[in-house]
Amino acid sequence: LRDPTTELQDIKLSTGGKELALKRGPAGSGGWDFVQPANFGKADVGGDTAPNADAITGVRPLLNLLANVQAAGNDDYIEKPGDLAQYGLNPGNPEAVRIELVPQTGSPEVLVLGKAVEENGKPVAPPKVYARVDGDSVVVKVPFDRLAALRKTILEPGVLRNRDLFAEGAKDRIDALNVNLG
């Protein structure tokens, strides 16, 4: 994806039995709507201006994070992984993070993120996680330091809600604002 915010139609994320699903709004709106949880309304495209280490607060930062997941080198590929449970990638693992990106044209791409990569019982530096593309037998170690933040965003999707008082298109049409106290 060159520009995930314009090339994607839907995104679905799940972990721990919870699902977060977003759908891109009508062409030209630049907005994203919550599908799951239902009735959450619009998602915040830009996110908070201050960095949030605990969660991902905007659709654009979320999509940029996910679109840039890739192996750093040939040594990161495990061609014959054996039992996927050792990587946290076994089917039905509630701790795994399932990412489904649906482009406007073409087939959906599904990536599953598993456990953090460890050596001698300690996380490697820089942080990496085990990942697997759905339908592929290869496991890949990918640089990824936001796994906890991604999980929290899925489990507590309110951090992605648009908190603007007025919708983006309505702001340009406002001539006056009456504020009453009491």
Side-chain angles (χ1 to χ4, degrees), residues 9-72:
Q9 183 60 41
D10 297 288
I11 179 172
K12 296 177 187 173
L13 308 169
S14 60
T15 191
K18 297 264 189 156
E19 181 179 84
L20 167 62
L22 301 170
K23 183 171 196 65
R24 195 162 63 92
S29 73
W32 287 79
D33 299 311
F34 279 92
V35 174
Q36 186 66 30
N39 301 317
F40 254 47
K42 298 278 184 198
D44 188 356
V45 174
D48 292 342
T49 54
N52 187 334
D54 296 331
I56 300 154
T57 61
V59 177
R60 187 176 299 117
L62 174 66
L63 293 177
N64 287 336
L65 174 73
L66 298 177
N68 289 311
V69 174
Q70 58 187 353

Side-chain angles (χ1 to χ4, degrees), residues 118-140:
E118 294 182 348
E119 288 180 1
N120 301 322
K122 296 181 181 178
V124 298
K128 292 183 179 183
V129 298
Y130 293 107
R132 184 171 163 263
V133 174
D134 200 33
D136 196 344
S137 63
V138 175
V139 170
V140 184

Side-chain angles (χ1 to χ4, degrees), residues 14-16 18 54-56 88 93-97 113-116 129 144 146-157:
S14 60
T15 191
K18 297 264 189 156
D54 296 331
I56 300 154
N93 178 3
E95 295 299 313
V97 175
L113 301 176
K115 294 179 181 177
V129 298
F144 199 80
R146 303 288 317 268
L147 188 59
L150 181 59
R151 280 191 179 125
K152 183 166 182 160
T153 302
I154 298 167
L155 296 173
E156 299 174 18

